[in-house]
Amino acid sequence: MNGNIQFLQGNEACAQAALYAGLAFFAGYPITPSTEIAEYLAAALPKISGKFVQMEDEIASLCAVIGASLTGRKAMTATSGPGFSLMQEALGYAVMAEIPCVIVNVQRGGPSTGLPTHAMQGDVCQARWGTHGDHAMVALTASGNQDVFSMTVEAFNLAETFRTPVILLLDEVTGHTREKVIIPEKGELAVADRLRTTVKQGVDFHPYLPREDGRLPMSDFGGVHRHNVTGLFHDMWGFPSEDPGVVHSLMRHLVDKIENNVAAMAHYKTFYLDDADLVLVSYGSSARSALHLVENRRRRGERYGLLELQTLWPFPTEVVRRLCAAADYIAVVEMNMGQIAREVRAAVDHPERVYLVNRIDGAFITPTDIRNMLRVIQGRGV
């Protein structure tokens, strides 16, 4: 076997990709089905002078990640279900203080402790709206382990480029599926470095003053510059402010830096869409079953196609509208009550053509499940 080909779980691919992207600090609390990420990094990080800390809970885990990132380290945590719920306050802090970091949520059944060892995709809207207040959010996902690798690297790149927390939303099936992964050579995938200020020591530093391109250079906390960090609305020095003009400007900045770059962040894959009259829209492990069905029906002469979303937030509205425009039927395949189906209905020109094809019982949705539901939708019986 070639040295750069490995047989990995999705969780292991995620951990290796984080190291490829420059991860230097991980803090976490073990929870099924994400624990393999922590286990892998507990062994790997000390070998490269990185830091691994098992914290007392998930709140402390994300707080430690935030602190490490402020000191200049690329930092990540990984969790699932109840742990992701506990992280929401710290996630909001990272949004407000513009601290780059990556949060991996390997989804399981919920709410509460739910189904720890089964796959569901019920955290999609929590990833977008879990923390309070108006804000924008970036959330990526993947269906196969090769894509887990590339999307993990991209999560770090977006976090550093836009100085924001980024959520990598996997699920139990993806996390625990073991398959071939080609580990890219160094430099094969682009890796974004931390943008550091060129302001010299002793010169007034504005940690929250965007450059003309919208990016905000950072100075390592504890270094040569004074760096105020707060969850309160703040001015360009980081000092708390209730001035309406300051509050308005910061709110617009936090939202616009994400929402104005939807096209740049939109990652997706297309299969057989050129002449498709039935388009499946899916993501994560559900997209694997959707693709299997599409290829099966294509061999029978039926014009099925698949749009696989890899960026869930900000939602790629224009991509979905354009690629679904000619479809007679649009079926959103997911393992929840229709969290992305709502977004697809809002995006397309004919929402009456959008149908939800789902499972919500902890069982993995299969190609047969999808085919049977499509037969009902198309009036062809069960």
Side-chain angles (χ1 to χ4, degrees):
M1 177 177 288
N2 190 307
N4 63 355
I5 297 177
Q6 299 187 26
F7 193 52
L8 299 175
Q9 278 191 354
N11 284 342
E12 294 167 342
C14 175
Q16 287 208 26
L19 296 171
Y20 184 96
L23 177 73
F25 182 91
F26 179 97
Y29 186 83
I31 181 170
T32 303
S34 72
T35 302
E36 292 84 2
I37 297 173
E39 290 176 339
Y40 189 97
L41 293 173
L45 275 170
K47 296 176 183 175
I48 58 171
S49 301
K51 303 297 182 186
F52 175 93
V53 185
Q54 180 175 323
M55 302 300 293
E56 65 268 35
D57 58 35
E58 289 85 350
I59 302 173
S61 297
L62 186 49
C63 289
V65 164
I66 288 169
S69 179
L70 281 169
T71 67
R73 274 69 174 177
K74 287 189 177 182
M76 182 178 90
T77 187
T79 188
S80 183
F84 191 54
S85 295
L86 289 173
M87 290 181 177
Q88 295 304 315
E89 183 175 356
L91 179 58
Y93 187 90
V95 171
M96 178 63 95
E98 300 188 74
I99 301 169
C101 56
V102 173
I103 301 103
V104 183
N105 176 9
V106 187
Q107 298 171 92
R108 66 191 209 182
S112 191
T113 43
L115 293 168
T117 59
H118 293 263
M120 294 182 77
Q121 297 172 321
D123 301 349
V124 172
C125 284
Q126 185 189 25
R128 175 64 185 87
W129 299 107
T131 195
H132 64 281
D134 282 317
H135 60 279
M137 189 59 68
V138 182
L140 308 179
T141 187
S143 61
N145 293 354
Q146 194 68 54
D147 288 340
V148 167
F149 195 103
S150 60
M151 285 299 104
T152 301
V153 174
E154 180 64 2
F156 278 93
N157 289 347
L158 293 177
E160 295 294 334
T161 300
F162 295 96
R163 213 175 127 173
T164 187
V166 172
I167 297 166
L168 184 62
L169 206 56
L170 306 180
D171 59 59
E172 188 275 337
V173 171
T174 304
H176 286 159
T177 294
R178 188 175 292 276
E179 60 188 0
K180 182 180 80 171
V181 177
I182 302 173
I183 307 299
E185 298 292 334
K186 185 178 180 180
E188 192 172 338
L189 293 181
V191 172
D193 294 324
R194 175 72 52 91
L195 178 63
R196 288 183 166 84
T197 182
T198 58
V199 173
K200 299 185 183 304
Q201 183 176 6
V203 179
D204 195 13
F205 170 56
H206 305 131
Y208 298 101
L209 180 63
R211 304 189 313 187
E212 288 187 0
D213 63 359
R215 297 191 66 185
L216 294 90
M218 298 183 73
S219 178
D220 295 348
F221 196 87
V224 300
H225 299 105
R226 178 167 179 171
H227 191 171
N228 304 298
V229 184
T230 176
L232 296 167
F233 278 93
H234 50 267
D235 59 21
M236 62 183 177
W237 290 277
F239 289 114
S241 175
E242 295 180 349
D243 181 285
V246 171
V247 172
H248 178 90
S249 295
L250 180 53
M251 176 62 76
R252 286 260 44 115
H253 163 70
L254 293 175
V255 173
D256 289 349
K257 72 176 182 178
I258 305 298
E259 299 294 341
N260 289 348
N261 289 284
V262 173
M265 297 183 189
H267 296 282
Y268 58 94
K269 299 168 77 173
T270 62
F271 304 88
Y272 311 104
L273 287 183
D274 287 346
D275 64 344
D277 53 23
L278 192 157
V279 173
L280 303 181
V281 180
S282 192
Y283 55 94
S285 63
S286 299
R288 298 174 73 110
S289 292
L291 179 58
H292 183 96
L293 178 68
V294 165
E295 293 182 332
N296 176 277
R297 304 321 289 182
R298 278 279 166 178
R299 288 192 289 271
R300 297 167 182 262
E302 298 183 45
R303 293 186 294 169
Y304 283 29
L306 170 64
L307 169 59
E308 179 187 338
L309 301 178
Q310 295 177 304
T311 300
L312 297 181
W313 308 114
F315 190 74
T317 300
E318 288 304 314
V319 170
V320 172
R321 176 181 293 121
R322 173 170 52 85
L323 295 176
C324 294
D328 296 328
Y329 297 93
I330 303 160
V332 182
V333 182
E334 52 186 337
M335 293 185 288
N336 57 45
M337 295 288 284
Q339 297 186 24
I340 285 297
R342 295 189 189 98
E343 299 298 321
V344 173
R345 288 192 183 98
V348 300
D349 295 327
H350 296 282
E352 71 279 6
R353 299 178 184 174
V354 179
Y355 299 88
L356 172 63
V357 175
N358 67 340
R359 284 197 77 142
I360 54 171
D361 56 1
F364 181 55
I365 191 165
T366 67
T368 300
D369 294 330
I370 301 170
R371 185 197 62 186
N372 290 342
M373 283 183 264
L374 289 176
R375 288 182 62 85
V376 173
I377 290 169
Q378 294 173 307
R380 298 163 62 184
V382 178

